[in-house]
Amino acid sequence: MRFAGVLAVFFLIGCAGLIPVTLQAIRDYRVAKVYVASEAEIIEFIPINSGYDTRPGKRVDRSTRPSYVFRFTTKEGQVITTRGYDAYGGREAPSSEWNLISAGDRLPCWYDPAAPKKAVLSRRFNPHFYWLLAWPVCFMGFSGLLLRECFRRAVPPKLKGVEKGRRLSWRLPVIASQRAMTGCLGAFMVLTALLTCGFTLAALDYQDEVYKYRWISSVLGFNMNGWYWVAFFAALVTILFLWAFLVNLRWVALPEPVVEVNATQLRPGDSTSLYVRQDGPLKALDYTISLVCEINGIPGKPPARKEILAERKDLLVREATEFSLELRMPRDARRTCKSVPLQKSGQKTASSADLVSWFIRIERRVSAKTLLTSDHEILVGTEAA
């Protein structure tokens, strides 16, 4: 519960991070849809200056944000004097937009009919401001998932997606396969491509000149800023996912093996019939059917245990190939465990708690460097099912 309390605090911090972004979104909407147009007379220019070191101890550059005192008349005839520039307090406003404004000029303005003191001289919209949503959403997502696990009750392991078999009693679902991995790569490729487009739009929208990139901007002919670096690295990640997706796409058309058993849960030492059907066309250098146990926390490369049930070399499948085997669970097999209870402070356990999973693994080596793997989960418990 202490850990849950810490996670709850982090989750609330993430929620608090949404507040400034939400308030800015409300103001952007009101400026675009609710604010009423009027004409302003510029009274005074009062810039907001801030400094930062471009190099430690070398020089200090000054950043200037526009802020004007102006007055206007509402539709009701009320004369209002206020100060400001846009909905963002003048942050990142391009100097070419406000440099030529001086006292006495008359410009269009927009004011909030519910609070006329809230007025702007520019309805400029900063889309890249909303990338700030990334950190509170990630904060909330990570802490929320862990918090959910803290309050989740341990339930006996159960298989999902089991169907009636044609040869034996039950057909086991595919837990991991080449098609699923290729689909995940495609989804990540689309996601990173969207992020690349978003970062590129943010770079184009960023109008302030960055001092340390001034010579790059002069060579390239456009305003170079940090968002271009972010977009560049996002594009590299997108290209990497695209390459992996295209490499694996050629194997998606290969049929997945069908695995059937008479019992979906076995006790240590029990056995059951196993039926595997591989549809064609398929040409495999090696075709292996194995019983695999994966345990977390064991040093070395998984799986922790692997017993080969059947193996074929240079298998050529034109229509279909079938395997009828006997699956015997080892007598020292550990039972399936999908949730580990949290250990209290000072509490000692007889053995370390591990996540344990058992699979019937079908491996098809279709080329010297390509091994296609399909995992079908089976349960090991104290009772047979």
Side-chain angles (χ1 to χ4, degrees), residues 20 99 120 124 132-133 139 152 195 207 226 248 300 312 345 348:
N99 244 351
V120 295
R124 185 175 56 89
L132 291 175
L133 279 171
F139 230 66
R152 175 184 286 182
L195 288 175
Q207 299 294 328
N248 289 276
R312 290 273 190 91
S345 301
K348 294 183 179 180

Side-chain angles (χ1 to χ4, degrees), residues 214-262:
R214 67 191 188 284
W215 65 273
I216 302 180
S217 300
S218 62
V219 172
L220 298 178
F222 59 85
N223 181 27
M224 180 65 185
N225 54 73
W227 283 107
Y228 280 108
W229 292 113
V230 179
F232 173 73
F233 288 113
L236 289 181
V237 176
T238 302
I239 293 172
L240 178 63
F241 277 118
L242 176 62
W243 172 80
F245 176 75
L246 294 177
V247 166
N248 289 276
L249 188 61
R250 59 178 297 194
W251 307 113
V252 171
L254 291 180
E256 289 289 337
V258 175
V259 177
E260 296 182 5
V261 292
N262 276 332

